[in-house]
Amino acid sequence: MNNKRSLITLLTLLLPMLILPQNTNISTDNWITSPGIIGTVVLILIVFLVAIIILLAKLNTYADTYKRKQLNKKGLEFTEEMIGMREEEIDRILEGRKKALNFKLSGDELGSQETVKDRKGLVNMVTHEPENPMFDEKKNTPIALETPEPLKKIVLYYLGTAVFWLVFGTLVGQYVGMKFVWPEMDSQPWLSFGRLRPVHTNAVFWGWASLAMIGLGYFVIARTSNTVIHNYKSAWYSLILINLAVLLGTLFLMGGINNGGGEYREYIWPVMLLFAIAIIITFWNFYKTVASRKIKDIYVSNWYILAALIWTTVLAIIGYLPNFQDGLGETVIQGYYMHQGVGMWFMTFTLGLIYYYLPSSLNKPIYSYSLGVLAFWTQMLFYTMIGTHHFVFSPLPWWLQTTAIVFSAGMFIPVVAGTTNFLMTMKGSWNHISKSYVLPFFLVGVIFYFVGSTQGSLQAFRFTNYVWHFTDFNVAHSHMTMYGIITFILWACFYTILPKLTGKEPPQVFVGAHFWLAFIGLFAYMMSLMAGGTLKGLSWIDGNAFLESVILMKPYWVWRAIGGSLMFVSHLVFAYNFYYMVNNKKPIENLDAPVLERVNN
């Protein structure tokens, strides 16, 4: 009986390998016509098209502004001309103008005797162009959100420290990028590429993005629960612990003290323990706030935010438990940790932020609650099993690699559901693209959410993985997601909420400079590394010497440095915009009646 059980167990383990034997004999003769390659090209064209649309909208606004200035100039010239006219001529002109102004409609031109009245003064402009849909535009209200002062302080300090780590982390990244062009820049061990690269990634991951998400999340949790934060002291403890973890982690990494080669988990366990404790405290604070909510339903944003905190706590435990770090088990855990960190912490939390800040910025509800729920549960299902697609053709079991590829394809469901929900929420509000940069930041983030996530699923296929893996293409992909999705959406949330909390709008010219420098820099960065990474992969497949692939990458690394420089400059502009918004806060008028959230222009 025991022998039969052993045989059945053995067959169960071997069956997937027998059905799906590993085959690395892949032809690259027609690599450019493979679905993954074609799909990636199409996705990049989508990003380019969106950039053109935003640019044309902005140029049209500038043209309208110029036209108004010209009309004002003509009006001034006419006034000066009237000064030299005789009294009879002036009377004749004014009499004609008076008749025009006194002209009144009969009231039944549209087939009704009723007259249209805007008793509450809500309509600011009505479009009469028959070619376009009609949308009445609401006036902006100067009233900001009623927010307790302790919550404002918490949000501003979280966001302020996040901005610091963004500038610091990308300064290090800028220096590392320049080393690709000038590798002889220095000879100091603590400035070596091997030490600075994890300093850059961990600072922007755990410092910039994590602090920004939690700070923005505190406002969402309180606002959507219609209550106060459970414990403000806990929020401050978490803030101190996270900053301490990033500071100590940075010092240890630059001193050569690290956790080994595990990407994004280079911090030693005592440092990461501080971060994990902060996450647990934050989860408990958020959970108790939602539990004491004064409304019946739990808004979908809170689903994503609480789930992200739960998954990240589990992730930190699994990623650092020593019992899992033996042999190939370390490889499996690395794939799980690396992808879960991006997908279940940054992506899930940020999606929760979109579900609040995007409708808030447009002063309208989210398009579909049902799509949000569908995207949530499919995200929870598919994202948890895709980490091994980073180790296709590795010694890991073939069936495990196949499972990761299948679940990567399944990610199309939450991505399409979420993207549809966000774009349909924006429907009817496209005129905001020409008014401010809040919607463009959201739009670029949402488009990159679709493009970057879909491209990741395509890259998980065996052929594209065969060509691109371990090349610079992965660096482009990671920036397409962590920068194009996470960072652009966080910036959109910053520009949505900060003026409402402080009463100060940043100069639009500086917000525009921030947007275009970041977008153009990212596009140059990812396009150069995608092209160079493809050529590098093909060079390896052809059996060329590794040194040849290094030489052919040189011009692409130059463009990487140029794109990175533009991105870093945009961060300096963003830091100035943040300082402008939070410095010398203006007193904000509050009303006893429910406050209307204004459209952020």
Side-chain angles (χ1 to χ4, degrees), residues 303-330:
W303 289 36
Y304 281 90
I305 292 172
L306 292 176
L309 289 163
I310 293 173
W311 273 110
T312 306
T313 303
V314 174
L315 180 65
I317 294 172
I318 293 178
Y320 278 84
L321 279 179
N323 295 338
F324 292 94
Q325 309 303 318
D326 298 327
L328 284 177
E330 196 276 339

CSV table of all heavy atoms in Angstrom, one decimal, residues 303-330:
chain,number,residue,atom,x,y,z
A,303,TRP,N,-10.5,48.8,0.4
A,303,TRP,CA,-10.2,47.4,0.1
A,303,TRP,C,-8.8,47.3,-0.4
A,303,TRP,O,-8.0,46.4,0.1
A,303,TRP,CB,-11.2,46.9,-1.0
A,303,TRP,CG,-12.6,46.8,-0.6
A,303,TRP,CD1,-13.3,47.5,0.2
A,303,TRP,CD2,-13.5,45.8,-1.1
A,303,TRP,NE1,-14.6,47.1,0.3
A,303,TRP,CE2,-14.8,46.0,-0.6
A,303,TRP,CE3,-13.3,44.7,-2.0
A,303,TRP,CZ2,-15.9,45.2,-0.8
A,303,TRP,CZ3,-14.4,43.9,-2.3
A,303,TRP,CH2,-15.7,44.1,-1.7
A,304,TYR,N,-8.4,48.1,-1.3
A,304,TYR,CA,-7.1,48.0,-1.9
A,304,TYR,C,-6.0,48.4,-0.9
A,304,TYR,O,-5.0,47.7,-0.8
A,304,TYR,CB,-7.0,49.0,-3.1
A,304,TYR,CG,-7.6,48.5,-4.4
A,304,TYR,CD1,-8.9,48.7,-4.7
A,304,TYR,CD2,-6.9,47.7,-5.3
A,304,TYR,CE1,-9.5,48.2,-5.8
A,304,TYR,CE2,-7.4,47.2,-6.5
A,304,TYR,CZ,-8.8,47.5,-6.7
A,304,TYR,OH,-9.3,47.0,-7.9
A,305,ILE,N,-6.2,49.4,-0.1
A,305,ILE,CA,-5.2,49.9,0.8
A,305,ILE,C,-5.0,48.9,1.9
A,305,ILE,O,-3.8,48.6,2.3
A,305,ILE,CB,-5.6,51.3,1.4
A,305,ILE,CG1,-5.6,52.3,0.3
A,305,ILE,CG2,-4.8,51.7,2.5
A,305,ILE,CD1,-6.2,53.7,0.7
A,306,LEU,N,-6.0,48.4,2.5
A,306,LEU,CA,-5.9,47.4,3.6
A,306,LEU,C,-5.3,46.1,3.1
A,306,LEU,O,-4.4,45.5,3.7
A,306,LEU,CB,-7.2,47.1,4.3
A,306,LEU,CG,-7.8,48.3,5.1
A,306,LEU,CD1,-9.2,47.9,5.6
A,306,LEU,CD2,-6.9,48.7,6.2
A,307,ALA,N,-5.7,45.7,1.9
A,307,ALA,CA,-5.1,44.5,1.3
A,307,ALA,C,-3.6,44.6,1.0
A,307,ALA,O,-2.8,43.7,1.3
A,307,ALA,CB,-5.8,44.1,0.0
A,308,ALA,N,-3.2,45.8,0.5
A,308,ALA,CA,-1.8,46.1,0.3
A,308,ALA,C,-1.0,46.0,1.6
A,308,ALA,O,0.1,45.4,1.6
A,308,ALA,CB,-1.6,47.4,-0.3
A,309,LEU,N,-1.5,46.5,2.7
A,309,LEU,CA,-0.8,46.4,4.0
A,309,LEU,C,-0.7,45.0,4.5
A,309,LEU,O,0.3,44.6,5.0
A,309,LEU,CB,-1.5,47.3,5.0
A,309,LEU,CG,-1.4,48.8,4.7
A,309,LEU,CD1,-2.4,49.6,5.5
A,309,LEU,CD2,0.0,49.3,5.1
A,310,ILE,N,-1.8,44.2,4.3
A,310,ILE,CA,-1.8,42.8,4.7
A,310,ILE,C,-0.7,42.0,4.0
A,310,ILE,O,0.1,41.3,4.5
A,310,ILE,CB,-3.2,42.2,4.6
A,310,ILE,CG1,-4.1,42.8,5.6
A,310,ILE,CG2,-3.1,40.7,4.9
A,310,ILE,CD1,-5.6,42.4,5.4
A,311,TRP,N,-0.8,42.2,2.6
A,311,TRP,CA,0.1,41.4,1.8
A,311,TRP,C,1.6,41.8,2.0
A,311,TRP,O,2.5,40.9,2.0
A,311,TRP,CB,-0.2,41.6,0.3
A,311,TRP,CG,-1.3,40.7,-0.2
A,311,TRP,CD1,-2.6,41.0,-0.6
A,311,TRP,CD2,-1.2,39.3,-0.4
A,311,TRP,NE1,-3.2,39.9,-1.0
A,311,TRP,CE2,-2.4,38.8,-0.9
A,311,TRP,CE3,-0.1,38.4,-0.3
A,311,TRP,CZ2,-2.6,37.5,-1.3
A,311,TRP,CZ3,-0.3,37.1,-0.6
A,311,TRP,CH2,-1.6,36.6,-1.1
A,312,THR,N,1.8,43.0,2.3
A,312,THR,CA,3.2,43.5,2.5
A,312,THR,C,3.8,42.9,3.8
A,312,THR,O,5.0,42.6,3.9
A,312,THR,CB,3.3,45.0,2.4
A,312,THR,OG1,2.7,45.5,1.2
A,312,THR,CG2,4.8,45.5,2.5
A,313,THR,N,2.9,42.8,4.8
A,313,THR,CA,3.4,42.2,6.1
A,313,THR,C,3.8,40.8,5.8
A,313,THR,O,4.8,40.3,6.3
A,313,THR,CB,2.3,42.3,7.1
A,313,THR,OG1,1.9,43.7,7.3
A,313,THR,CG2,2.7,41.8,8.4
A,314,VAL,N,2.9,40.0,5.1
A,314,VAL,CA,3.2,38.6,4.8
A,314,VAL,C,4.5,38.6,3.9
A,314,VAL,O,5.3,37.7,4.2
A,314,VAL,CB,2.0,38.0,4.0
A,314,VAL,CG1,2.3,36.6,3.6
A,314,VAL,CG2,0.8,38.0,4.9
A,315,LEU,N,4.6,39.5,3.0
A,315,LEU,CA,5.7,39.5,2.1
A,315,LEU,C,7.1,39.7,2.9
A,315,LEU,O,8.1,39.0,2.6
A,315,LEU,CB,5.6,40.6,1.1
A,315,LEU,CG,6.7,40.8,0.1
A,315,LEU,CD1,6.7,39.6,-0.9
A,315,LEU,CD2,6.4,42.1,-0.8
A,316,ALA,N,7.1,40.6,3.8
A,316,ALA,CA,8.3,40.9,4.6
A,316,ALA,C,8.7,39.7,5.4
A,316,ALA,O,9.9,39.3,5.5
A,316,ALA,CB,8.1,42.1,5.5
A,317,ILE,N,7.7,39.0,6.0
A,317,ILE,CA,8.0,37.8,6.8
A,317,ILE,C,8.6,36.7,5.9
A,317,ILE,O,9.6,36.1,6.2
A,317,ILE,CB,6.7,37.3,7.5
A,317,ILE,CG1,6.3,38.3,8.5
A,317,ILE,CG2,7.0,36.0,8.2
A,317,ILE,CD1,4.9,38.1,9.1
A,318,ILE,N,7.9,36.4,4.8
A,318,ILE,CA,8.4,35.3,3.9
A,318,ILE,C,9.7,35.6,3.3
A,318,ILE,O,10.6,34.8,3.2
A,318,ILE,CB,7.3,35.0,2.8
A,318,ILE,CG1,6.1,34.5,3.4
A,318,ILE,CG2,7.9,34.1,1.7
A,318,ILE,CD1,5.0,34.2,2.4
A,319,GLY,N,9.9,36.9,2.9
A,319,GLY,CA,11.2,37.3,2.3
A,319,GLY,C,12.4,37.2,3.2
A,319,GLY,O,13.5,37.1,2.7
A,320,TYR,N,12.2,37.3,4.5
A,320,TYR,CA,13.3,37.3,5.4
A,320,TYR,C,13.4,36.1,6.3
A,320,TYR,O,14.4,36.0,7.1
A,320,TYR,CB,13.3,38.6,6.2
A,320,TYR,CG,13.8,39.8,5.4
A,320,TYR,CD1,13.0,40.5,4.5
A,320,TYR,CD2,15.2,40.2,5.6
A,320,TYR,CE1,13.5,41.6,3.8
A,320,TYR,CE2,15.7,41.2,4.9
A,320,TYR,CZ,14.9,41.9,4.0
A,320,TYR,OH,15.4,43.0,3.3
A,321,LEU,N,12.5,35.1,6.2
A,321,LEU,CA,12.6,34.0,7.1
A,321,LEU,C,13.8,33.1,6.5
A,321,LEU,O,13.8,32.7,5.4
A,321,LEU,CB,11.3,33.2,7.1
A,321,LEU,CG,10.2,33.7,8.0
A,321,LEU,CD1,9.0,32.8,7.9
A,321,LEU,CD2,10.7,33.7,9.5
A,322,PRO,N,14.7,32.7,7.4
A,322,PRO,CA,15.9,32.0,6.9
A,322,PRO,C,15.6,30.6,6.4
A,322,PRO,O,16.3,30.0,5.6
A,322,PRO,CB,16.8,31.9,8.1
A,322,PRO,CG,15.9,32.1,9.3
A,322,PRO,CD,14.8,33.0,8.8
A,323,ASN,N,14.5,30.0,6.9
A,323,ASN,CA,14.2,28.6,6.5
A,323,ASN,C,13.8,28.4,5.0
A,323,ASN,O,13.8,27.3,4.5
A,323,ASN,CB,13.0,28.1,7.4
A,323,ASN,CG,13.3,28.0,8.8
A,323,ASN,OD1,14.5,27.9,9.2
A,323,ASN,ND2,12.3,28.0,9.7
A,324,PHE,N,13.5,29.5,4.4
A,324,PHE,CA,13.1,29.4,3.0
A,324,PHE,C,14.2,29.8,2.0
A,324,PHE,O,14.1,29.8,0.8
A,324,PHE,CB,11.9,30.4,2.7
A,324,PHE,CG,10.7,30.1,3.4
A,324,PHE,CD1,10.3,30.6,4.6
A,324,PHE,CD2,9.8,29.2,2.8
A,324,PHE,CE1,9.1,30.3,5.2
A,324,PHE,CE2,8.6,28.9,3.4
A,324,PHE,CZ,8.3,29.4,4.6
A,325,GLN,N,15.4,30.0,2.5
A,325,GLN,CA,16.5,30.6,1.7
A,325,GLN,C,17.5,29.6,1.3
A,325,GLN,O,18.7,29.9,1.1
A,325,GLN,CB,17.1,31.7,2.5
A,325,GLN,CG,16.2,32.8,3.0
A,325,GLN,CD,15.3,33.4,1.9
A,325,GLN,OE1,15.7,33.7,0.9
A,325,GLN,NE2,14.0,33.5,2.2
A,326,ASP,N,17.2,28.3,1.2
A,326,ASP,CA,18.1,27.3,0.8
A,326,ASP,C,18.0,26.9,-0.7
A,326,ASP,O,16.9,26.6,-1.1
A,326,ASP,CB,18.0,26.0,1.7
A,326,ASP,CG,18.2,26.3,3.2
A,326,ASP,OD1,19.1,27.2,3.4
A,326,ASP,OD2,17.6,25.7,4.0
A,327,GLY,N,19.1,26.8,-1.4
A,327,GLY,CA,19.1,26.3,-2.8
A,327,GLY,C,18.1,27.0,-3.7
A,327,GLY,O,18.0,28.2,-3.7
A,328,LEU,N,17.4,26.2,-4.5
A,328,LEU,CA,16.4,26.8,-5.4
A,328,LEU,C,15.3,27.5,-4.7
A,328,LEU,O,14.6,28.3,-5.3
A,328,LEU,CB,15.9,25.7,-6.3
A,328,LEU,CG,16.9,25.3,-7.5
A,328,LEU,CD1,16.2,24.1,-8.3
A,328,LEU,CD2,17.2,26.4,-8.3
A,329,GLY,N,15.1,27.1,-3.4
A,329,GLY,CA,14.0,27.8,-2.7
A,329,GLY,C,14.2,29.3,-2.6
A,329,GLY,O,13.3,30.1,-2.6
A,330,GLU,N,15.5,29.7,-2.5
A,330,GLU,CA,15.9,31.1,-2.5
A,330,GLU,C,15.4,31.8,-3.8
A,330,GLU,O,14.9,32.9,-3.8
A,330,GLU,CB,17.4,31.3,-2.2
A,330,GLU,CG,17.8,32.6,-1.8
A,330,GLU,CD,18.0,33.6,-3.0
A,330,GLU,OE1,18.2,33.1,-4.1
A,330,GLU,OE2,17.9,34.8,-2.7
